Amino acid sequence: MKMDERKQKVLQAIILDYIATAEPVGSRTISRKYNLGVSPATVRNEMADLEELGLIEQPHTSAGRIPSQSGYRYYVDCLMEKEPLDRDIKDMISKAMMVRIRETEALIQVSSKLLSQLTNYTALVLAPALGRNALRHLQILPIDDSKAVVVMVLDNGHVEHKVIDVPGGLNHEDFTAISRVLNERLYGLSVEQWRPTILQTIYHELLYQKKLLNSVIELVENAISLEEENKVYLGGTLNILNQPEFKDIEKVKGLLELLEQEAAIKEVLHPAPEAGITVKIGSENIHQSMKNCSLITATYHLNGRVIGTLGVLGPTRMEYSKAVSILEYITEALSKAITRL
Amino acid sequence: MKMDERKQKVLQAIILDYIATAEPVGSRTISRKYNLGVSPATVRNEMADLEELGLIEQPHTSAGRIPSQSGYRYYVDCLMEKEPLDRDIKDMISKAMMVRIRETEALIQVSSKLLSQLTNYTALVLAPALGRNALRHLQILPIDDSKAVVVMVLDNGHVEHKVIDVPGGLNHEDFTAISRVLNERLYGLSVEQWRPTILQTIYHELLYQKKLLNSVIELVENAISLEEENKVYLGGTLNILNQPEFKDIEKVKGLLELLEQEAAIKEVLHPAPEAGITVKIGSENIHQSMKNCSLITATYHLNGRVIGTLGVLGPTRMEYSKAVSILEYITEALSKAITRL
DNA sequence: TTTAGCACTCGATAGAGGGGAGTGCTAACA
DNA sequence: TGTTAGCACTCCCCTCTATCGAGTGCTAAA
């Protein structure tokens, strides 16, 4: 059996109606609301075929049809038309990104918020892995006899600080010396590149002053462990509570718990392919508690390289078209904004 | 009518049983499970009295009794006995606090996590207002022509950084000069005390170099706005989903939304009185969505001054005794740990 | 004052019946 | 050959009813 044009239209009608109403769709509804120019009986025949193809299913004998997972897949791959965004939505996004923002982190947070507000779904954002950014400046500021704070400025404008323990007996000059050596040797290198370099040079330079060695080692180790991870930002976590399919608390609990686990979200967002938009529907997602959900992801870029992922998480009965349009536009705006930094 | 000892025992039995089971308690249950030495009929008479006193109520004619809000209030004020904590729970708390922690923030997070895990309720923690801590060190590090990062170290060990815009044309020496002046003038003062001082001295010192002035002003303003607020930490937000009274998603939604609003939580935790433990039951709480909840709060201290609040949020049918014990112990441990810093 | 006995109330649960939305099949029609 | 009208059928959903039982309040006896 082949998917002729009318079957496609019927499938599309079923999906659009089900997305809008969350109720099984009957043949009468389709023939009336979506003017296909054929009678309900004809639609019924088509529906029987679509069911045989596995694209739609019946909750029970005397109910209408709902899209199956394969049905959504077919829709996303073949039928979905891009929804043009309203002027004012585009403006809102551009404006929010133009805000005088000084750090990547703030841009990411804005994106996450926008994405969840505009889609009414949950937004997941994987921030850039800082480990790849080159060091622009590193400074060690002593706090007291046993502590110091390391401040690292990366070339993407990101700043991190971390308090570390240092052995006693170091004076101001020692810290200045260490800072100087570290700056000289590490400038322009990304954190990922530190480990090999560090061992060769720092040891040499500072060997004359043995007591500094341990603190330097600890500093670097700390800094590395700090910077290697990329953070996750969420927006609109509670939006799923508005979906009728999640009215049962047991279904929503697992999902909310999953969203609290940063590691799980990273896992979900991380293996984003090089290509732009990806849609994972229902059980295409790894996690059990996402089997009634769909996740749309997109990657954002800096200088042509993928540096992070944006995602929209909603029910499988999701407004794919709208979500994809918004996600695409925000992703693009974010990429541009980051490039501007 | 007076509360004789037997009425108290009956009330206590009703509350304890209802807390344990979440089901209305009948006279038969009380006379059998809690050995008062009287028959169900006698208990029924007492219950009629307790209902007249407004301490218990009937969901419907042929059901058992449940505690009213006043009933819980009476229990908390007069009947509740402190539950001694298990040795291993105490150990767990002490151990977690002993962990080699360098910042107040980390201690607060640990406390929040402990509190929610041990009680199975939601933990709310109001961190100390940093504005009151004296400055130990302030440094401005230039990033590029138009940006610099300000690093502030407070005397409680807390470190904050913030990226600021600076006018062009400043060189390294300028920054060093600004840092030096600021450090000299602001050392030992809390952020709260800055505003009056700043205007008098900084202006004088730096007036000779007009172009610096604007950047300094901005710096200070930024720093102040940054430090004045005290942050809120949550733990176990989803624990309420385990409570049978919140099986309905509509009831839980408002509460979760409330917990996402930092301002609301501050408001709830802030007006903590000087005294130690406070219990707010049901509609004693301001927020509509907390009318089925109770909130137990306690303050923690540094040098005898209140610096923050810990709170446990659960259903009105809460294990008050256990929650209070755990909260007290953690609060004390936190106060001690902060003092050690 | 306490207790046993008893009628009564009312939620919870299960089953019966009607209504209705939607289907699949058949036969007629273009 | 594809499309459509007609019709019987299925099965969810809602309501109504009956039954059950936990728990009560009242009364009278101990």
Side-chain angles (χ1 to χ4, degrees), chain A residues 201-246:
Chain A
T201 53
I202 314 284
Y203 265 68
H204 270 93
E205 301 254 352
L206 296 177
L207 207 59
Y208 72 98
Q209 208 172 0
K210 288 227 165 147
K211 63 178 180 179
L212 290 186
L213 226 55
N214 288 332
S215 63
V216 171
I217 300 296
E218 187 184 356
L219 183 165
V220 172
E221 305 252 307
N222 269 313
I224 287 175
S225 71
L226 176 74
E227 296 300 325
E228 260 171 5
E229 305 210 343
N230 34 15
K231 289 182 191 157
V232 165
Y233 295 82
L234 298 185
T237 322
L238 299 179
N239 284 355
I240 32 170
L241 298 183
N242 299 324
Q243 301 298 335
E245 41 265 85
F246 291 108

Side-chain angles (χ1 to χ4, degrees), chain B residues 12-29:
Chain B
Q12 177 149 25
I14 291 174
I15 290 181
L16 291 182
D17 205 78
Y18 186 66
I19 285 176
T21 65
E23 298 286 335
V25 191
S27 54
R28 193 183 158 78
T29 311

Side-chain angles (χ1 to χ4, degrees), chain B residues 6 37-42 44-45 60-62:
Chain B
R6 197 170 63 191
V38 290
S39 76
T42 311
R44 278 204 289 282
N45 287 329
H60 52 265
T61 321
S62 67

